[in-house]
Amino acid sequence: MIKLLRIDDRLVHGQVAMAWTPALGVDCLVVANDKVARDDFIKMTLNLAKPASARLLVKSIADTIAFLKDERSKPLKLLVLVNSVADAHTLAQSLPEITSINFGGLRMRDGAKAVSRAIYLTDADITLVRTLLEKGTALEVRQVPTDKPTGLESLI
């Protein structure tokens, strides 16, 4: 069961390990990213940052979709982490059970503008956000579970 799909360009870090994992009661983190899935060094560093209470899977976007559709993943309590709006959009389009997405952190990059203290979106990101909103996907900005969630639609 997917407990949360989170967009955070840092993927696994302190907020994920120390705040989100216990708050959600997840037992498995899934990093869905094509580049990271091919990079053994980054996988090793993410594994060092994960909480001891959860296992870490690093998969390509296509393999993540296949894994999440597989009945064997259903008993797991999953926190799915992506580092881009595009990857979250792809997962949400392929997996109808994804009805909400958490925007935890997207740092400044070329062409991006701030929509909150920790979220910077490009025009391409905003186009994808609008398609998710039209589909009825709930999009919240919240860095840690104790923060008050803010609907992304009110910020763009």
Side-chain angles (χ1 to χ4, degrees):
M1 165 192 269
I2 300 171
K3 303 286 270 184
L4 182 71
L5 170 57
R6 177 177 170 90
I7 303 172
D8 190 325
D9 59 14
R10 296 175 292 169
L11 296 170
V12 181
H13 58 89
Q15 291 174 352
V16 170
M18 304 305 288
W20 283 104
T21 298
L24 296 169
V26 298
D27 54 18
C28 184
L29 308 178
V30 180
V31 170
N33 182 278
D34 291 342
K35 179 181 175 189
V36 174
R38 295 186 308 265
D39 190 320
D40 289 336
F41 180 75
I42 294 175
K43 286 193 278 190
M44 179 191 67
T45 61
L46 293 175
N47 206 37
L48 293 171
K50 77 164 187 66
S53 62
R55 60 191 269 211
L56 174 68
L57 301 175
V58 179
K59 296 182 173 294
S60 68
I61 293 297
D63 287 347
T64 298
I65 292 167
F67 171 72
L68 295 174
K69 286 183 175 180
D70 190 315
E71 288 299 317
R72 291 175 289 184
S73 74
K74 302 304 181 204
L76 298 171
K77 298 174 201 153
L78 302 166
L79 170 54
V80 181
L81 301 158
V82 297
N83 69 357
S84 71
V85 176
D87 287 348
H89 182 270
T90 299
L91 293 178
Q93 293 299 325
S94 300
L95 301 161
E97 64 267 34
I98 295 175
T99 58
S100 65
I101 299 172
N102 167 263
F103 283 69
L106 284 171
R107 288 172 282 186
M108 180 61 182
R109 57 202 187 282
D110 286 343
K113 57 188 172 195
V115 297
S116 75
R117 185 169 53 96
I119 303 295
Y120 292 78
L121 298 176
T122 64
D123 289 342
D125 292 335
I126 291 172
T127 298
L128 294 173
V129 162
R130 291 191 194 288
T131 64
L132 289 164
L133 289 169
E134 288 169 8
K135 181 184 164 199
T137 307
L139 306 177
E140 69 164 22
V141 174
R142 185 163 49 147
Q143 289 186 281
V144 293
T146 54
D147 287 348
K148 180 181 175 194
T150 302
L152 184 58
E153 66 276 7
S154 68
L155 303 173
I156 58 173

